[in-house]
Amino acid sequence: MTLKASKTLSPRTEKELAFFLEQNTIPLTQALWEWIALQGKIGTQIEIDLEEFEQFVTKHRGTKFARWWLKKRFKWLINHRIIQVIKEFSSTAYRIVLRPFDWLKPRKKNSQNHLQNCNSSCDLTTSNDQSVRDGVNNNNTYIPKISESEREELGKILEVVKLCEQYGYQPPITKIPVNLSIAEIKASLEQWSSEQYQELERRYDILKICADYGIYYHPHTTGTQELFSYQIEEVELAIKHFIKAGGFEKRGNGKPIISNPQGWLIKCLRECWYFTWPDKVEDFFNILGNLLPQNIPRDYS
């Protein structure tokens, strides 16, 4: 669902926020607060969608913030009563009320001090550089910056995410191994990529050998996924048994002996129809002996 902003965005303010994102000089919490402030008047109900914020960040920053980190900072604003959620439309879309940070500060009893604070707030410079340096936005509200440790952790996570994207690997964000070095993660990704390539080659060989005998499988069906769970040697034995059982031959009435070759082959693999029973009892017990583990001592006394 697309949520409409309750007022027209200010081009100057939007350009400033875009500039800070491009320069990567604004913390996520501050960027999120300022973006929400662009959607409507502070203190009134606003409908927002965090996916639109992600699109805005991606457009001007090049990469978006990790979703789990974005939700964490959004909850921080909620927990500190800066954001009040009125209604939740989805996991990213809300109707909220946004408040300034100084709204949370208790009002001082000394009216003289209160007047001095008001006068000092009126004397604040409107320079963009000074506002960013002092942690003050256009609404004269203070936005605390994230700690250096949090910034370093986020920077490493983003670096790992980019590295994973280069290898085509998409792990859940909660399972990113941030405790490893970038070199170790890269080595693991290279090994994973090599294993993935080998597995693709193995699956291609299975599909090709089936196609050579006229049995075609769609790569993404459930039955084909089960076919991939067997070794290519087993598939070859099942195909030979398929030919021996009649294959594509037809009965006297013109109907095929095996009406569904794809399903028949998978069932043959599942139930080991291709297995040839030995003629001698000794050979049978030799086969059973190979199934038993070899590292268990035979003397149980």
Side-chain angles (χ1 to χ4, degrees):
M1 127 184 198
T2 302
L3 300 176
K4 297 182 179 180
S6 58
K7 75 165 191 173
T8 305
L9 298 181
S10 171
R12 186 182 68 86
T13 306
E14 183 181 7
K15 287 181 180 179
E16 286 179 350
L17 179 56
F19 173 79
F20 294 139
L21 288 170
E22 290 171 3
Q23 301 301 316
N24 199 23
T25 57
I26 185 170
L28 171 57
T29 309
Q30 181 176 348
L32 179 59
W33 190 93
E34 291 187 4
W35 180 83
I36 296 175
L38 290 173
Q39 311 308 308
K41 186 177 180 181
I42 295 176
T44 62
Q45 293 190 14
I46 309 169
E47 292 185 353
I48 64 167
D49 193 330
L50 297 181
E51 289 187 355
E52 294 181 2
F53 173 72
E54 288 182 326
Q55 294 172 3
F56 181 81
V57 171
T58 304
K59 177 181 178 181
H60 298 289
R61 188 171 178 264
T63 56
K64 61 183 180 181
F65 295 103
R67 176 64 68 84
W68 71 271
W69 183 252
L70 172 60
K71 296 300 289 288
K72 182 177 180 180
R73 305 319 298 170
F74 184 72
K75 289 183 178 178
W76 186 92
L77 293 171
I78 295 175
N79 293 336
H80 287 75
R81 299 193 304 151
I82 299 169
I83 287 179
Q84 179 184 356
V85 176
I86 306 299
K87 185 174 182 180
E88 181 175 351
F89 300 104
S90 67
S91 60
T92 61
Y94 306 88
R95 178 181 294 134
I96 66 167
V97 173
L98 181 69
R99 299 186 177 92
F101 277 79
D102 57 2
W103 180 84
L104 302 175
K105 299 178 182 178
R107 184 171 297 179
K108 294 184 178 181
K109 296 181 180 179
N110 191 331
S111 58
Q112 185 66 27
N113 290 339
H114 179 67
L115 291 175
Q116 290 177 357
N117 290 337
C118 293
N119 293 332
S120 62
S121 64
C122 294
D123 293 336
L124 288 176
T125 175
T126 58
S127 169
N128 293 335
D129 295 336
Q130 184 67 29
S131 296
V132 175
R133 189 162 53 250
D134 295 339
V136 179
N137 67 1
N138 293 330
N139 294 284
N140 293 335
T141 54
Y142 175 74
I143 311 292
K145 296 184 177 181
I146 62 176
S147 65
E148 288 300 323
S149 60
E150 289 177 318
R151 185 183 297 275
E152 291 177 1
E153 180 185 1
L154 178 59
K156 183 175 181 180
I157 290 176
L158 292 176
E159 187 175 356
V160 173
V161 169
K162 290 180 181 178
L163 190 61
C164 291
E165 290 177 350
Q166 293 175 6
Y167 284 87
Y169 180 60
Q170 298 180 343
I173 195 68
T174 55
K175 294 186 178 180
I176 290 182
V178 292
N179 57 321
L180 301 178
S181 66
I182 298 297
E184 291 173 326
I185 295 174
K186 186 175 182 180
S188 299
L189 286 171
E190 289 178 351
Q191 181 181 357
W192 173 85
S193 180
S194 176
E195 292 173 354
Q196 288 292 104
Y197 184 77
Q198 292 176 3
E199 175 62 16
L200 287 175
E201 283 190 326
R202 188 187 73 85
R203 295 187 177 193
Y204 173 81
D205 291 340
I206 290 176
L207 293 178
K208 185 177 184 303
I209 192 174
C210 292
D212 289 341
Y213 284 89
I215 306 176
Y216 303 99
Y217 288 93
H218 191 284
H220 303 300
T221 60
T222 304
T224 307
Q225 297 304 311
E226 182 178 351
L227 179 68
F228 291 149
S229 64
Y230 299 99
Q231 300 299 322
I232 191 169
E233 294 80 11
E234 296 175 303
V235 176
E236 289 177 341
L237 290 174
I239 290 176
K240 290 179 180 179
H241 190 68
F242 169 77
I243 300 300
K244 185 178 179 180
F248 293 102
E249 296 180 8
K250 295 183 179 180
R251 304 180 188 275
N253 57 4
K255 294 183 179 180
I257 296 176
I258 301 176
S259 58
N260 181 13
Q262 290 83 0
W264 188 97
L265 189 65
I266 291 176
K267 194 170 183 180
C268 175
L269 287 164
R270 189 187 302 156
E271 301 183 9
C272 299
W273 291 347
Y274 57 84
F275 182 76
T276 303
W277 288 95
D279 297 330
K280 298 180 181 180
V281 177
E282 295 83 5
D283 295 336
F284 173 70
F285 282 106
N286 288 334
I287 294 174
L288 292 182
N290 293 329
L291 296 176
L292 296 175
Q294 304 297 320
N295 58 347
I296 298 179
R298 297 178 182 274
D299 186 5
Y300 299 98
S301 60

